[in-house]
Amino acid sequence: MQIRLGGLETSEVAALLAEHVEDMRRYSPPESVHTLDLDRLRTPDLTFWSLWQEDVVLGCAALRELDPTHGELKSMRTSHAHRRRRVAAALLDHVVAEARRRGYARLSLETGSPAEFAPARTMYAAYGFTPCDAFGPYVADDFSMFMTLDLADQPAR
């Protein structure tokens, strides 16, 4: 597996992100879907990575700078066909390491609260993410859960 910077110009990543949006819309009402489209993922405040095995995209993740000490994990996705192969763990390791390299004190995320998101919440909790209040542009709602990782208190993995 190889993590590559970018990939948004490929049809494979576009299809993976379309799968992501479709799932988010299946489990959450429109006002609670916070996925980013391809154009929004290309903005300067975001860094996007895709994870590949040869010419097959397995997953993706992005890091958005909220301020000089606070980053946000965005667009974390493993393709349905490649789940349970440590794709998400590899991407999360990469994003957390980059957040540390940038000097962020905190890394936060928004994920869904329905049962379908339980595996993601479990993985984030295993990394030390804990529930927190809505942050940045978000407003608390019944379909969102907010989590944060205090990078200063957590040893590197």
Side-chain angles (χ1 to χ4, degrees), residues 124-139:
Y124 296 135
Y127 271 74
F129 283 85
T130 57
C132 66
D133 291 334
F135 60 89
Y138 298 104
V139 176

Side-chain angles (χ1 to χ4, degrees), residues 21 28 33 36 49 64 70 75 82 88 104-105 120 126-127 132 149 151:
V21 171
S28 301
V33 175
L36 302 176
W49 296 275
R64 174 168 60 182
H70 190 188
S75 299
H82 301 287
Y104 295 157
Y127 271 74
C132 66
L149 175 65
L151 296 169

Side-chain angles (χ1 to χ4, degrees), residues 87-104:
V87 170
L91 286 162
L92 190 53
D93 284 341
H94 186 82
V95 173
V96 169
E98 177 62 14
R100 288 180 190 286
R101 189 194 68 72
R102 292 182 184 186
Y104 295 157

